[in-house]
Amino acid sequence: MRPYTFAQARSVREALRGAGSDTAFLAGGTTLVDLMKLEVMTPERVVDINRLPLDGITLDRKGLHIGALERMSDVAADPAVRENYPMVAQALELSASAQLRNMASIGGNLLQRTRCGYFRDVSTPCNKREPGSGCSALEGVNRGHAVLGTSDDCIASHPSDLAVPLVALSTVVHLASARGTRSVPLDTFYTLPGSTPDVENVLRPNELITGITVPRSPWAAHSLYVKVRDRQSYEFALTSAAVALEVRGRTITNARVAAGGVGTRPWRLTAVERALTGRPATSATFEAAVVRAADGAQPREHNAFKPALLRRTLVRALTELQESR
Amino acid sequence: MNPDNDAGHGRSGVSRRNFLGGGLVAAAVTPLLNATAEAEAAEAASATADGVAQVLVRAAVNGAPVTVLVDPRATLLDTLREKLDLKGTKKGCDRGQCGACTVHVDGRRVLSCLTLAASTTGHEVTTIEGLADGDRLHPMQQAFVEHDGLQCGFCTPGQIMSAVAMVDDEGPARSDDEIRERMSGNICRCSAYPRIVDAIRDAQKVMR
């Protein structure tokens, strides 16, 4: 690990004082400490933000508010989350391990870095880690990599399970800097790699995530997260699907659908949502709606299975959700 | 084992458990600093290692207050093992992937290899050395012994710490499948999983 100075901040203001591109904020540390050991991340200053008053899980008329420092395990266990946003709790419970969920914060989860093996290995070229050095994954071991939103410079997949139901539900991220606060939709918070894969989101170096708001949605209570992976537990997604349906009589009146494991960012599937809406909640509808879910996918040597697996994952999620009614 | 030898060890007061117990007390006391030493330590904090200030950490480890000066880069795992001589906590992958380094911070199971020691001020750390009540093993330790829930034993402290918090902090598991899912962060390279599950199933019946 490279040397850095360490400080504990007691307020958001104190944490942001002097913060810049050389600063890393420490919450759960599950990404930061790991990547500092690998020297993938080399901050000169580490500011411990765990004492900041960025906690709380509250539900009101506007929706669900979660403080950035709430831990994954606490959010997953919260009765209001489980009852009103089941796919959020499920995505959390299917993430990582119990120890990591006790440590990792919600803000940190949204900012976790890709699991691309070349990004994590400083001896190989990687445009995300070292802009302009090249992408080793294009012709390398790319089984876990993205097929949607990729570029010629980067095909790293976004690793967060939580972010998948959150983009489906139009979640808003709250940010603070020394100059004030702003709120950004999570869907546009993440940027596509393009020619600058080192830039992953619109967060500025002197900005901090303070919390998120998941809008109140009647259909969110009828939702499901399905994750497909190489082993049953403690593994990242090959594909995943977050689905929420509002069904009146036999007709789907609202649908929210997003996918994980396939995109360079959590992938909202608005075309699938449109194809479901106004139609009967039957397997024929589900099969027809997902036909074009992976349109535009650019598979590589080892992940060519992902478009088909994504369609099946979506159908399974929609079917299981409908059968659970 | 020859029972006569056991008796002999007992009389001489150097049985393995007594010896380790004595070592534990010394280990817990060694890093404690009196008021003067603490002032010296604070002064030392301005001194540098690799050009950066060290950090004074005040935490409780296995119930005893501990004050220790650490490099900002030091993990809780390395600090427990190298500075506090508590080597029951094992370094497996050192990347947050195997669970061998599991300890409790404020009663919750966490990975000490991804926890910076500098961030533990004000918190209560419990390691495998802090589980037993004197000579009486924790029910989870006892169950691992009775079920032979290990082969090489390297992952065992992490398995036991993880299992204790699984039951005490999060609530007993309702099925073997649930035990497997909730313990999936603890890898056993020898694959002693069936007996680990047996041990946890039994222990959680007698834990409060």
Side-chain angles (χ1 to χ4, degrees):
Chain A
M1 232 188 283
R2 304 274 182 88
Y4 54 79
T5 62
F6 180 87
Q8 283 185 317
R10 280 176 218 86
S11 67
V12 172
R13 199 185 159 130
E14 193 181 310
L16 291 167
R17 193 177 298 142
S21 54
D22 62 343
T23 306
F25 296 115
L26 174 75
T30 55
T31 289
L32 178 63
V33 177
D34 181 29
L35 292 181
M36 288 197 302
K37 286 183 183 186
L38 296 170
E39 300 197 351
V40 170
M41 292 180 75
T42 54
E44 287 169 31
R45 302 172 65 221
V46 171
V47 178
D48 181 351
I49 58 168
N50 285 295
R51 274 143 216 261
L52 270 48
L54 300 177
D55 53 355
I57 306 170
T58 55
L59 185 68
D60 62 21
R61 277 173 43 242
K62 286 185 172 175
L64 177 71
H65 309 281
I66 304 175
L69 286 173
E70 283 293 336
R71 308 295 151 166
M72 291 171 73
S73 53
D74 294 321
V75 178
D78 188 272
V81 177
R82 300 184 77 82
E83 186 181 335
N84 298 286
Y85 304 88
M87 67 177 171
V88 172
Q90 291 154 6
L92 287 164
E93 286 181 328
L94 292 170
S95 300
S97 67
Q99 291 96 316
L100 290 164
R101 294 193 295 269
N102 276 342
M103 301 170 73
S105 69
I106 295 304
N109 181 287
L110 299 178
L111 294 176
Q112 69 184 295
R113 310 301 298 274
T114 182
R115 301 301 295 187
C116 172
Y118 303 104
F119 172 72
R120 293 172 58 81
D121 177 358
V122 294
S123 70
T124 60
C126 168
N127 288 321
K128 187 183 280 296
R129 176 170 31 78
E130 202 179 324
S133 62
C135 175
S136 307
L138 293 175
E139 306 302 328
V141 178
N142 46 34
R143 175 173 164 79
H145 288 68
V147 293
L148 293 164
T150 59
S151 74
D152 291 340
D153 291 318
C154 185
I155 59 170
S157 55
H158 195 272
S160 171
D161 289 295
L162 172 66
V164 180
L166 292 186
V167 296
L169 295 170
S170 304
T171 297
V172 172
V173 190
H174 307 297
L175 311 173
S177 72
R179 283 177 303 179
T181 61
R182 62 179 179 136
S183 296
V184 181
L186 184 59
D187 206 22
T188 54
F189 175 78
Y190 294 116
T191 53
L192 291 173
S195 58
T196 55
D198 53 313
V199 179
E200 298 178 348
N201 53 57
V202 300
L203 191 72
R204 299 180 187 123
N206 59 354
E207 250 178 344
L208 193 62
I209 297 181
T210 56
I212 61 172
T213 297
V214 194
R216 188 112 206 194
S217 334
W219 51 76
H222 186 52
S223 65
L224 182 71
Y225 185 72
V226 168
K227 181 174 180 179
V228 177
R229 41 189 165 171
D230 279 336
R231 58 183 178 203
Q232 198 174 346
S233 186
Y234 199 15
E235 182 56 280
F236 289 88
L238 288 171
T239 60
S240 71
V243 295
L245 291 179
E246 183 184 54
V247 182
R248 295 203 175 144
R250 289 188 63 232
T251 307
I252 299 167
T253 48
N254 264 300
R256 294 298 183 93
V257 182
V262 290
T264 52
R265 63 181 192 191
W267 209 258
R268 177 99 178 251
L269 290 162
T270 49
V272 175
E273 295 173 1
R274 282 194 302 274
L276 290 165
T277 307
R279 297 205 165 75
T282 61
S283 57
T285 299
F286 301 155
E287 294 280 358
V290 306
V291 165
R292 309 191 64 179
D295 274 11
Q298 294 201 296
R300 299 272 161 180
E301 184 181 357
H302 303 291
N303 65 5
F305 63 90
K306 283 200 175 185
L309 186 61
L310 169 62
R311 290 190 289 270
R312 290 177 197 161
T313 308
L314 289 165
V315 170
R316 184 176 135 198
L318 291 163
T319 307
E320 284 182 13
L321 176 64
Q322 184 57 14
E323 284 173 356
S324 71
R325 284 173 67 84
Chain B
M1 192 182 281
N2 184 337
D4 290 343
N5 284 354
D6 260 358
H9 278 215
R11 272 198 302 277
S12 68
V14 289
S15 75
R16 179 172 159 81
R17 181 166 300 147
N18 281 345
F19 177 75
L20 290 177
L24 173 60
V25 171
V29 170
T30 309
L32 288 180
L33 304 168
N34 60 32
T36 316
E38 201 170 301
E40 284 170 10
E43 196 177 314
S46 62
T48 59
D50 267 332
V52 293
Q54 296 191 70
V55 181
L56 192 66
V57 176
R58 289 188 185 85
V61 178
N62 296 331
V66 167
T67 302
V68 61
L69 201 58
V70 299
D71 186 297
R73 293 169 293 183
T75 60
L76 176 58
L77 171 62
D78 286 341
T79 303
L80 289 169
R81 289 181 55 85
E82 307 303 330
K83 289 230 169 187
L84 306 183
D85 205 28
L86 293 170
K87 296 191 173 166
T89 307
K90 300 304 180 200
K91 184 186 274 198
C93 68
D94 205 27
R95 293 284 179 274
Q97 297 174 5
C98 76
C101 68
T102 302
V103 299
H104 302 170
V105 173
D106 300 335
R108 304 179 75 170
R109 45 177 168 167
V110 300
L111 300 176
S112 60
C113 77
L114 292 184
T115 303
L116 291 181
S119 70
T120 58
T121 282
H123 295 288
E124 290 180 20
V125 179
T126 306
T127 69
I128 189 74
E129 290 91 340
L131 271 194
D133 179 8
D135 268 1
R136 215 180 61 201
L137 291 179
H138 185 282
M140 191 64 74
Q141 292 174 305
Q142 191 63 42
F144 268 71
V145 171
E146 285 168 8
H147 286 279
D148 202 12
L150 54 114
Q151 212 174 114
C152 82
F154 192 81
C155 74
T156 310
Q159 298 279 0
I160 289 175
M161 294 309 287
S162 187
V164 167
M166 186 200 87
V167 179
D168 275 349
D169 182 45
E170 300 155 30
R174 286 156 297 184
S175 67
D176 287 2
D177 278 351
E178 194 181 312
I179 293 174
R180 288 188 194 96
E181 164 59 30
R182 291 171 61 187
M183 289 293 295
S184 68
N186 290 83
I187 311 294
C188 172
R189 194 65 285 180
C190 309
S191 228
Y193 298 114
R195 290 175 181 198
I196 292 172
V197 172
D198 290 345
I200 296 171
R201 187 199 312 114
D202 261 17
Q204 68 177 14
K205 288 182 199 152
V206 293
M207 288 170 67
R208 281 184 289 120

